[in-house]
PDB file of all heavy atoms in Angstrom:
ATOM      1  N   ALA A 143       7.238  36.437  16.122  1.00 86.00           N
ATOM      2  CA  ALA A 143       5.988  36.253  16.847  1.00 86.00           C
ATOM      3  C   ALA A 143       5.512  37.563  17.471  1.00 86.00           C
ATOM      4  O   ALA A 143       4.315  37.771  17.661  1.00 86.00           O
ATOM      5  CB  ALA A 143       6.158  35.190  17.926  1.00 86.00           C
ATOM      6  N   GLY A 144       6.452  38.447  17.761  1.00 89.00           N
ATOM      7  CA  GLY A 144       6.110  39.739  18.336  1.00 89.00           C
ATOM      8  C   GLY A 144       5.793  40.791  17.306  1.00 89.00           C
ATOM      9  O   GLY A 144       5.445  41.926  17.655  1.00 89.00           O
ATOM     10  N   LYS A 145       5.903  40.438  16.011  1.00 90.00           N
ATOM     11  CA  LYS A 145       5.619  41.368  14.928  1.00 90.00           C
ATOM     12  C   LYS A 145       4.659  40.713  13.934  1.00 90.00           C
ATOM     13  O   LYS A 145       5.065  40.268  12.856  1.00 90.00           O
ATOM     14  CB  LYS A 145       6.915  41.779  14.217  1.00 90.00           C
ATOM     15  CG  LYS A 145       7.913  42.497  15.124  1.00 90.00           C
ATOM     16  CD  LYS A 145       9.196  42.833  14.363  1.00 90.00           C
ATOM     17  CE  LYS A 145      10.187  43.568  15.244  1.00 90.00           C
ATOM     18  NZ  LYS A 145      11.450  43.879  14.526  1.00 90.00           N
ATOM     19  N   PRO A 146       3.383  40.629  14.283  1.00 89.00           N
ATOM     20  CA  PRO A 146       2.407  39.932  13.438  1.00 89.00           C
ATOM     21  C   PRO A 146       2.381  40.415  11.993  1.00 89.00           C
ATOM     22  O   PRO A 146       2.171  39.621  11.074  1.00 89.00           O
ATOM     23  CB  PRO A 146       1.077  40.209  14.139  1.00 89.00           C
ATOM     24  CG  PRO A 146       1.451  40.450  15.570  1.00 89.00           C
ATOM     25  CD  PRO A 146       2.775  41.158  15.515  1.00 89.00           C
ATOM     26  N   ALA A 147       2.613  41.712  11.776  1.00 89.00           N
ATOM     27  CA  ALA A 147       2.558  42.241  10.412  1.00 89.00           C
ATOM     28  C   ALA A 147       3.683  41.685   9.546  1.00 89.00           C
ATOM     29  O   ALA A 147       3.548  41.592   8.326  1.00 89.00           O
ATOM     30  CB  ALA A 147       2.625  43.763  10.433  1.00 89.00           C
ATOM     31  N   GLU A 148       4.794  41.326  10.163  1.00 89.00           N
ATOM     32  CA  GLU A 148       5.903  40.730   9.416  1.00 89.00           C
ATOM     33  C   GLU A 148       5.734  39.224   9.288  1.00 89.00           C
ATOM     34  O   GLU A 148       6.137  38.620   8.282  1.00 89.00           O
ATOM     35  CB  GLU A 148       7.232  41.043  10.119  1.00 89.00           C
ATOM     36  CG  GLU A 148       7.612  42.508  10.084  1.00 89.00           C
ATOM     37  CD  GLU A 148       8.966  42.771  10.722  1.00 89.00           C
ATOM     38  OE1 GLU A 148       9.743  41.802  10.892  1.00 89.00           O
ATOM     39  OE2 GLU A 148       9.244  43.930  11.070  1.00 89.00           O
ATOM     40  N   LEU A 149       5.142  38.616  10.296  1.00 91.00           N
ATOM     41  CA  LEU A 149       4.947  37.169  10.281  1.00 91.00           C
ATOM     42  C   LEU A 149       3.829  36.759   9.329  1.00 91.00           C
ATOM     43  O   LEU A 149       3.896  35.709   8.676  1.00 91.00           O
ATOM     44  CB  LEU A 149       4.632  36.683  11.699  1.00 91.00           C
ATOM     45  CG  LEU A 149       4.402  35.187  11.905  1.00 91.00           C
ATOM     46  CD1 LEU A 149       5.608  34.378  11.425  1.00 91.00           C
ATOM     47  CD2 LEU A 149       4.108  34.900  13.375  1.00 91.00           C
ATOM     48  N   ALA A 150       2.808  37.599   9.219  1.00 88.00           N
ATOM     49  CA  ALA A 150       1.636  37.257   8.413  1.00 88.00           C
ATOM     50  C   ALA A 150       1.965  36.898   6.969  1.00 88.00           C
ATOM     51  O   ALA A 150       1.496  35.878   6.463  1.00 88.00           O
ATOM     52  CB  ALA A 150       0.627  38.399   8.457  1.00 88.00           C
ATOM     53  N   PRO A 151       2.760  37.713   6.239  1.00 91.00           N
ATOM     54  CA  PRO A 151       3.038  37.357   4.849  1.00 91.00           C
ATOM     55  C   PRO A 151       3.792  36.035   4.704  1.00 91.00           C
ATOM     56  O   PRO A 151       3.652  35.350   3.696  1.00 91.00           O
ATOM     57  CB  PRO A 151       3.897  38.535   4.354  1.00 91.00           C
ATOM     58  CG  PRO A 151       3.567  39.656   5.273  1.00 91.00           C
ATOM     59  CD  PRO A 151       3.333  39.019   6.603  1.00 91.00           C
ATOM     60  N   ILE A 152       4.588  35.698   5.711  1.00 92.00           N
ATOM     61  CA  ILE A 152       5.311  34.426   5.672  1.00 92.00           C
ATOM     62  C   ILE A 152       4.328  33.272   5.798  1.00 92.00           C
ATOM     63  O   ILE A 152       4.376  32.298   5.040  1.00 92.00           O
ATOM     64  CB  ILE A 152       6.366  34.375   6.794  1.00 92.00           C
ATOM     65  CG1 ILE A 152       7.410  35.466   6.587  1.00 92.00           C
ATOM     66  CG2 ILE A 152       7.037  32.992   6.841  1.00 92.00           C
ATOM     67  CD1 ILE A 152       8.421  35.578   7.727  1.00 92.00           C
ATOM     68  N   LEU A 153       3.409  33.384   6.751  1.00 93.00           N
ATOM     69  CA  LEU A 153       2.402  32.338   6.916  1.00 93.00           C
ATOM     70  C   LEU A 153       1.506  32.246   5.689  1.00 93.00           C
ATOM     71  O   LEU A 153       1.151  31.162   5.227  1.00 93.00           O
ATOM     72  CB  LEU A 153       1.562  32.626   8.159  1.00 93.00           C
ATOM     73  CG  LEU A 153       2.295  32.614   9.505  1.00 93.00           C
ATOM     74  CD1 LEU A 153       1.328  32.923  10.641  1.00 93.00           C
ATOM     75  CD2 LEU A 153       2.986  31.287   9.749  1.00 93.00           C
ATOM     76  N   GLN A 154       1.145  33.401   5.161  1.00 91.00           N
ATOM     77  CA  GLN A 154       0.271  33.449   3.990  1.00 91.00           C
ATOM     78  C   GLN A 154       0.885  32.704   2.808  1.00 91.00           C
ATOM     79  O   GLN A 154       0.167  32.098   2.004  1.00 91.00           O
ATOM     80  CB  GLN A 154       0.016  34.914   3.612  1.00 91.00           C
ATOM     81  CG  GLN A 154      -0.981  35.114   2.487  1.00 91.00           C
ATOM     82  CD  GLN A 154      -1.164  36.585   2.155  1.00 91.00           C
ATOM     83  OE1 GLN A 154      -0.368  37.426   2.587  1.00 91.00           O
ATOM     84  NE2 GLN A 154      -2.181  36.898   1.393  1.00 91.00           N
ATOM     85  N   TYR A 155       2.192  32.744   2.722  1.00 95.00           N
ATOM     86  CA  TYR A 155       2.888  32.105   1.609  1.00 95.00           C
ATOM     87  C   TYR A 155       2.781  30.579   1.672  1.00 95.00           C
ATOM     88  O   TYR A 155       3.058  29.900   0.686  1.00 95.00           O
ATOM     89  CB  TYR A 155       4.358  32.530   1.632  1.00 95.00           C
ATOM     90  CG  TYR A 155       5.140  32.190   0.378  1.00 95.00           C
ATOM     91  CD1 TYR A 155       4.697  32.607  -0.878  1.00 95.00           C
ATOM     92  CD2 TYR A 155       6.329  31.469   0.457  1.00 95.00           C
ATOM     93  CE1 TYR A 155       5.424  32.303  -2.016  1.00 95.00           C
ATOM     94  CE2 TYR A 155       7.055  31.168  -0.674  1.00 95.00           C
ATOM     95  CZ  TYR A 155       6.596  31.589  -1.907  1.00 95.00           C
ATOM     96  OH  TYR A 155       7.318  31.284  -3.044  1.00 95.00           O
ATOM     97  N   HIS A 156       2.373  30.047   2.801  1.00 95.00           N
ATOM     98  CA  HIS A 156       2.255  28.597   2.967  1.00 95.00           C
ATOM     99  C   HIS A 156       0.838  28.082   2.728  1.00 95.00           C
ATOM    100  O   HIS A 156       0.573  26.892   2.933  1.00 95.00           O
ATOM    101  CB  HIS A 156       2.693  28.205   4.385  1.00 95.00           C
ATOM    102  CG  HIS A 156       4.154  28.413   4.654  1.00 95.00           C
ATOM    103  ND1 HIS A 156       4.712  29.658   4.814  1.00 95.00           N
ATOM    104  CD2 HIS A 156       5.170  27.537   4.805  1.00 95.00           C
ATOM    105  CE1 HIS A 156       6.013  29.531   5.042  1.00 95.00           C
ATOM    106  NE2 HIS A 156       6.307  28.252   5.040  1.00 95.00           N
ATOM    107  N   VAL A 157      -0.052  28.954   2.298  1.00 95.00           N
ATOM    108  CA  VAL A 157      -1.454  28.570   2.124  1.00 95.00           C
ATOM    109  C   VAL A 157      -1.897  28.834   0.688  1.00 95.00           C
ATOM    110  O   VAL A 157      -1.629  29.895   0.128  1.00 95.00           O
ATOM    111  CB  VAL A 157      -2.364  29.353   3.093  1.00 95.00           C
ATOM    112  CG1 VAL A 157      -3.822  28.923   2.915  1.00 95.00           C
ATOM    113  CG2 VAL A 157      -1.923  29.127   4.531  1.00 95.00           C
ATOM    114  N   VAL A 158      -2.573  27.858   0.112  1.00 96.00           N
ATOM    115  CA  VAL A 158      -3.127  27.976  -1.238  1.00 96.00           C
ATOM    116  C   VAL A 158      -4.647  27.985  -1.108  1.00 96.00           C
ATOM    117  O   VAL A 158      -5.221  27.186  -0.360  1.00 96.00           O
ATOM    118  CB  VAL A 158      -2.673  26.799  -2.123  1.00 96.00           C
ATOM    119  CG1 VAL A 158      -3.359  26.854  -3.494  1.00 96.00           C
ATOM    120  CG2 VAL A 158      -1.157  26.820  -2.277  1.00 96.00           C
ATOM    121  N   GLY A 159      -5.294  28.875  -1.822  1.00 94.00           N
ATOM    122  CA  GLY A 159      -6.731  29.055  -1.693  1.00 94.00           C
ATOM    123  C   GLY A 159      -7.558  28.038  -2.447  1.00 94.00           C
ATOM    124  O   GLY A 159      -8.694  28.323  -2.837  1.00 94.00           O
ATOM    125  N   LYS A 160      -7.025  26.876  -2.663  1.00 95.00           N
ATOM    126  CA  LYS A 160      -7.749  25.768  -3.276  1.00 95.00           C
ATOM    127  C   LYS A 160      -7.235  24.487  -2.628  1.00 95.00           C
ATOM    128  O   LYS A 160      -6.073  24.414  -2.228  1.00 95.00           O
ATOM    129  CB  LYS A 160      -7.512  25.727  -4.790  1.00 95.00           C
ATOM    130  CG  LYS A 160      -8.234  24.579  -5.501  1.00 95.00           C
ATOM    131  CD  LYS A 160      -7.974  24.620  -7.006  1.00 95.00           C
ATOM    132  CE  LYS A 160      -8.652  23.438  -7.711  1.00 95.00           C
ATOM    133  NZ  LYS A 160      -8.412  23.459  -9.177  1.00 95.00           N
ATOM    134  N   ARG A 161      -8.104  23.513  -2.521  1.00 97.00           N
ATOM    135  CA  ARG A 161      -7.718  22.266  -1.873  1.00 97.00           C
ATOM    136  C   ARG A 161      -7.121  21.286  -2.884  1.00 97.00           C
ATOM    137  O   ARG A 161      -7.733  21.001  -3.915  1.00 97.00           O
ATOM    138  CB  ARG A 161      -8.926  21.634  -1.187  1.00 97.00           C
ATOM    139  CG  ARG A 161      -8.603  20.488  -0.263  1.00 97.00           C
ATOM    140  CD  ARG A 161      -9.776  20.210   0.663  1.00 97.00           C
ATOM    141  NE  ARG A 161      -9.447  19.166   1.613  1.00 97.00           N
ATOM    142  CZ  ARG A 161     -10.141  18.919   2.721  1.00 97.00           C
ATOM    143  NH1 ARG A 161     -11.198  19.650   3.005  1.00 97.00           N
ATOM    144  NH2 ARG A 161      -9.790  17.952   3.535  1.00 97.00           N
ATOM    145  N   TYR A 162      -5.914  20.800  -2.583  1.00 97.00           N
ATOM    146  CA  TYR A 162      -5.230  19.836  -3.443  1.00 97.00           C
ATOM    147  C   TYR A 162      -4.801  18.624  -2.632  1.00 97.00           C
ATOM    148  O   TYR A 162      -4.367  18.760  -1.481  1.00 97.00           O
ATOM    149  CB  TYR A 162      -3.955  20.437  -4.049  1.00 97.00           C
ATOM    150  CG  TYR A 162      -4.162  21.495  -5.102  1.00 97.00           C
ATOM    151  CD1 TYR A 162      -4.171  22.847  -4.763  1.00 97.00           C
ATOM    152  CD2 TYR A 162      -4.330  21.142  -6.439  1.00 97.00           C
ATOM    153  CE1 TYR A 162      -4.339  23.825  -5.734  1.00 97.00           C
ATOM    154  CE2 TYR A 162      -4.493  22.117  -7.415  1.00 97.00           C
ATOM    155  CZ  TYR A 162      -4.493  23.453  -7.059  1.00 97.00           C
ATOM    156  OH  TYR A 162      -4.659  24.416  -8.025  1.00 97.00           O
ATOM    157  N   ASP A 163      -4.860  17.440  -3.252  1.00 97.00           N
ATOM    158  CA  ASP A 163      -4.166  16.291  -2.712  1.00 97.00           C
ATOM    159  C   ASP A 163      -2.833  16.186  -3.449  1.00 97.00           C
ATOM    160  O   ASP A 163      -2.502  17.041  -4.286  1.00 97.00           O
ATOM    161  CB  ASP A 163      -5.010  15.018  -2.844  1.00 97.00           C
ATOM    162  CG  ASP A 163      -5.305  14.639  -4.298  1.00 97.00           C
ATOM    163  OD1 ASP A 163      -4.836  15.351  -5.221  1.00 97.00           O
ATOM    164  OD2 ASP A 163      -6.009  13.636  -4.511  1.00 97.00           O
ATOM    165  N   ALA A 164      -2.027  15.174  -3.122  1.00 96.00           N
ATOM    166  CA  ALA A 164      -0.696  15.069  -3.731  1.00 96.00           C
ATOM    167  C   ALA A 164      -0.765  14.947  -5.242  1.00 96.00           C
ATOM    168  O   ALA A 164       0.045  15.543  -5.969  1.00 96.00           O
ATOM    169  CB  ALA A 164       0.055  13.884  -3.128  1.00 96.00           C
ATOM    170  N   LYS A 165      -1.726  14.171  -5.744  1.00 95.00           N
ATOM    171  CA  LYS A 165      -1.861  14.017  -7.189  1.00 95.00           C
ATOM    172  C   LYS A 165      -2.211  15.342  -7.849  1.00 95.00           C
ATOM    173  O   LYS A 165      -1.716  15.676  -8.928  1.00 95.00           O
ATOM    174  CB  LYS A 165      -2.923  12.959  -7.508  1.00 95.00           C
ATOM    175  CG  LYS A 165      -2.433  11.525  -7.341  1.00 95.00           C
ATOM    176  CD  LYS A 165      -1.393  11.201  -8.392  1.00 95.00           C
ATOM    177  CE  LYS A 165      -0.917   9.767  -8.281  1.00 95.00           C
ATOM    178  NZ  LYS A 165       0.112   9.449  -9.302  1.00 95.00           N
ATOM    179  N   GLY A 166      -3.071  16.111  -7.194  1.00 96.00           N
ATOM    180  CA  GLY A 166      -3.435  17.412  -7.728  1.00 96.00           C
ATOM    181  C   GLY A 166      -2.259  18.366  -7.754  1.00 96.00           C
ATOM    182  O   GLY A 166      -2.090  19.139  -8.702  1.00 96.00           O
ATOM    183  N   LEU A 167      -1.442  18.327  -6.710  1.00 96.00           N
ATOM    184  CA  LEU A 167      -0.242  19.173  -6.674  1.00 96.00           C
ATOM    185  C   LEU A 167       0.700  18.813  -7.810  1.00 96.00           C
ATOM    186  O   LEU A 167       1.248  19.682  -8.493  1.00 96.00           O
ATOM    187  CB  LEU A 167       0.481  19.004  -5.336  1.00 96.00           C
ATOM    188  CG  LEU A 167      -0.214  19.534  -4.088  1.00 96.00           C
ATOM    189  CD1 LEU A 167       0.642  19.229  -2.863  1.00 96.00           C
ATOM    190  CD2 LEU A 167      -0.476  21.028  -4.178  1.00 96.00           C
ATOM    191  N   GLU A 168       0.892  17.509  -7.986  1.00 94.00           N
ATOM    192  CA  GLU A 168       1.797  17.045  -9.032  1.00 94.00           C
ATOM    193  C   GLU A 168       1.324  17.502 -10.403  1.00 94.00           C
ATOM    194  O   GLU A 168       2.122  17.930 -11.248  1.00 94.00           O
ATOM    195  CB  GLU A 168       1.876  15.518  -8.981  1.00 94.00           C
ATOM    196  CG  GLU A 168       2.853  14.914  -9.980  1.00 94.00           C
ATOM    197  CD  GLU A 168       2.873  13.398  -9.912  1.00 94.00           C
ATOM    198  OE1 GLU A 168       2.331  12.831  -8.938  1.00 94.00           O
ATOM    199  OE2 GLU A 168       3.426  12.776 -10.839  1.00 94.00           O
TER     200      GLU A 168
END
Side-chain angles (χ1 to χ4, degrees):
K145 299 178 179 179
E148 292 183 17
L149 180 57
I152 297 174
L153 297 180
Q154 185 181 14
Y155 192 55
H156 293 73
V157 181
V158 175
K160 180 179 178 180
R161 191 163 184 164
Y162 289 94
D163 63 1
K165 282 292 182 180
L167 292 178
E168 183 181 347

